[in-house]
Amino acid sequence: MKKQFPLEKVLDFRNRTLEREKAKLGELANQERMMMGRMAEIAGEISDKRAEQAAEAAEGRFDFTDLYNKYIAVRENDLEYIKKKRDEVLSKIEAQKKVLKNALSDVKIMEKLKEKHMLDYARYMLKQEEMQIDEINITKRRDETR
């Protein structure tokens, strides 16, 4: 006979919660990766523009120096903004890791409880079986003595 775990719905709920928290952590990690890529892209663009500005200055053309400086300043501000956003995402990731750890702990607790219930049930069934065997043996002896 198969024993149904009485808290199966709670275990299912905790498993769904765990999956939801994993998905949130994955989403935050993707955001962080995108920001890192964006930061690398902006840093490359800044270095390219500085190289262009240096090449223009080496050729003696200073017409667009002010524009290069303004553009580089804007991109550096963009880079700083993305760094701040990335730091926020990293702090959210750390918080989400704690939430995920708690959710995983809850699931493990429920699984251990389920195992304990199953072992208790197996012991109970074994005891019932032994009682039936004893009863059969007692009944046999009574019949043999008559």
Side-chain angles (χ1 to χ4, degrees):
M1 183 164 110
K2 180 74 175 154
K3 170 74 171 157
Q4 181 66 27
F5 180 54
L7 299 173
E8 192 70 36
K9 287 184 180 182
V10 175
L11 180 60
D12 290 340
F13 173 75
R14 290 197 174 166
N15 278 325
R16 285 192 308 270
T17 301
L18 178 65
E19 292 304 316
R20 193 171 38 249
E21 298 304 330
K22 282 181 183 178
K24 286 179 185 177
L25 182 62
E27 183 179 315
L28 288 171
N30 283 339
Q31 286 179 2
E32 195 263 339
R33 276 194 295 276
M34 286 175 36
M35 287 181 181
M36 287 297 292
R38 187 102 191 266
M39 286 170 51
E41 178 183 312
I42 291 172
E45 192 174 327
I46 289 171
S47 65
D48 290 345
K49 292 302 174 185
R50 284 191 176 142
E52 284 180 29
Q53 182 182 15
E56 292 282 328
E59 292 176 9
R61 290 184 280 179
F62 298 100
D63 301 340
F64 298 112
T65 301
D66 191 39
L67 291 175
Y68 276 116
N69 288 333
K70 287 180 181 178
Y71 183 77
I72 290 171
V74 167
R75 295 311 282 171
E76 284 175 344
N77 287 338
D78 292 344
L79 186 62
E80 287 301 314
Y81 176 77
I82 291 175
K83 283 181 183 178
K84 287 179 187 174
K85 286 294 186 183
R86 180 177 172 262
D87 291 341
E88 290 175 13
V89 168
L90 288 176
S91 66
K92 287 179 183 178
I93 286 173
E94 289 304 314
Q96 188 62 31
K97 283 181 181 179
K98 290 177 185 173
V99 170
L100 183 63
K101 183 179 176 183
N102 290 338
L104 183 60
S105 174
D106 289 346
V107 168
K108 285 183 179 181
I109 288 170
M110 291 305 295
E111 287 175 347
K112 285 180 182 179
L113 184 61
K114 182 178 180 178
E115 285 179 26
K116 183 179 181 283
H117 280 207
M118 292 302 171
L119 288 174
D120 289 346
Y121 180 72
R123 276 186 244 141
Y124 170 76
M125 290 304 292
L126 184 62
K127 194 176 223 181
Q128 290 296 321
E129 188 178 309
E130 288 173 358
M131 287 173 54
Q132 282 182 339
I133 291 172
D134 288 345
E135 190 175 313
I136 290 172
N137 286 337
I138 290 171
T139 308
K140 256 186 175 179
R141 284 187 193 152
R142 278 191 207 153
D143 290 342
E144 288 176 2
T145 57
R146 285 187 189 171

